Every structure is written in C-alpha cells, then in structure tokens.
Amino acid sequence: MTRRRDRAQQPVGTRRAAREFAFRVLFEAERGGGANLGMPLSAVFTRAEGAMREGDDTFTPLNEEALAFARQLVEGLDAHRAEIDDHLRRTIRGWDFEQMAQTDLNVLRLATFELLHTGEPHPPVIESAVRIARKFGGEDSGRFVNGVLGGLSRSLPERPGA
C-alpha cells in the first residue's frame, strides 16, 4: 500500500494533466473564491503552483516539463484572449458567452489557444478538452465542447507537422 501512495505522490508529466492544471487556474481566477477574483492570471498560476508544491491534494503534482506547458497555456491564453474569443464567437452559433457555463467557456478558450498557437495536433487537443469538460462540466459539456472544437478545427487551415 505504501508503494501505491508513493506512486501517487510522484509528479506527472502528461499534457492532459498540464491542461487540467491550466484549466483549474482559469477557474480559480474567474470563480474560485473572492481572493483570486481580479488577480492577473500569472499571479493565480503562481499561487496554484505553490499550493501544488506544498502538497495540496486538490492539484495533481506536475513535473517541471508539464508545469512549463501549463504555464505556456495560461500565458498564451492571457496574451491572445481577444483573438481566441473572436474565433469562438464566430464558431459558436446561437450562444453568447454570458449564456455559456464558465467551465465550458474556459475549456474552449484553452483548447482554442492550442489549436491556433501551438504545433499540437488537433485530435489530442480536442480529446483532452472533452475529457476536462466531462470531468468538471455539466451533463452535455463534453458533447458541446467536442462540437465547437471540431467545427473550429475544420475551419482552420492545415499546418505543416500538425
């Protein structure tokens, strides 16, 4: 039993865990308690990283590579938010951001940043986003996120190597 607990404490290096960490930072920045509301995303990221390093079991411990990827996602979203929101507004028909669940919107924003600004292939980005939406969102979140990101992916030009 000790080995299992020790294994659980080992830092994880998956992109999916990094994406979930980045999503949690966004959630905390916008909804997760008044102390974080209005703080820059970088400050919320630093607080979440500190909590993770101190053993807060609400965060999956990430290795340095995964943490760097999570930081890239949060900083990239912060830097390109207007462009990302513009793409989402053109892709999502019949909904505006005020009507959408904040969970779904944050998952979509992170995945849209990846689709537009990283060399990640679209299918694993979409799959990870759908998993996060199912885990943290409502009953239909996974289907909604999958539909929006699938439409967005089809509308984007092919990138070499993606």
Side-chain angles (χ1 to χ4, degrees):
M1 200 177 308
T2 304
R3 275 191 262 160
R4 184 175 181 189
R5 185 174 50 212
D6 289 344
R7 235 181 316 174
Q9 300 297 326
Q10 296 301 313
V12 205
T14 65
R15 291 208 176 256
R16 186 172 53 165
R19 289 176 179 114
E20 187 173 310
F21 187 89
F23 165 78
R24 301 263 321 266
V25 167
L26 285 180
F27 181 82
E28 287 190 20
E30 295 181 9
R31 297 280 184 197
N36 293 333
L37 205 52
M39 285 178 68
L41 273 177
S42 60
V44 178
F45 187 95
T46 300
R47 285 179 70 169
E49 178 184 357
M52 178 204 67
R53 290 185 187 278
E54 290 171 7
D56 182 339
D57 63 359
T58 61
F59 291 102
T60 300
L62 301 178
N63 68 18
E64 293 306 315
E65 182 181 335
L67 195 57
F69 181 62
R71 183 178 299 279
Q72 174 191 359
L73 294 177
V74 170
E75 290 175 352
L77 171 62
D78 204 23
H80 298 282
R81 190 176 209 132
E83 175 197 11
I84 289 164
D85 284 355
D86 183 55
H87 275 281
L88 287 172
R89 280 189 179 94
R90 285 186 277 137
T91 304
I92 301 169
R93 306 233 186 260
W95 290 82
D96 55 31
F97 288 178
E98 292 74 35
Q99 294 174 303
M100 292 174 54
Q102 199 64 42
T103 300
D104 297 351
L105 183 55
N106 284 335
V107 169
L108 289 169
R109 283 174 168 154
L110 280 169
T112 300
F113 167 74
E114 273 195 88
L115 295 177
L116 295 174
H117 294 285
T118 70
E120 291 293 314
H122 292 190
V125 171
I126 294 170
E127 180 184 339
S128 284
V130 168
R131 286 178 184 231
I132 292 170
R134 284 182 182 148
K135 182 175 181 178
F136 293 101
E139 187 176 317
D140 294 324
S141 292
R143 276 191 302 252
F144 178 70
V145 165
N146 188 51
V148 171
L149 294 176
L152 178 62
S153 176
R154 286 187 296 277
S155 75
L156 296 175
E158 289 289 324
R159 286 187 321 251

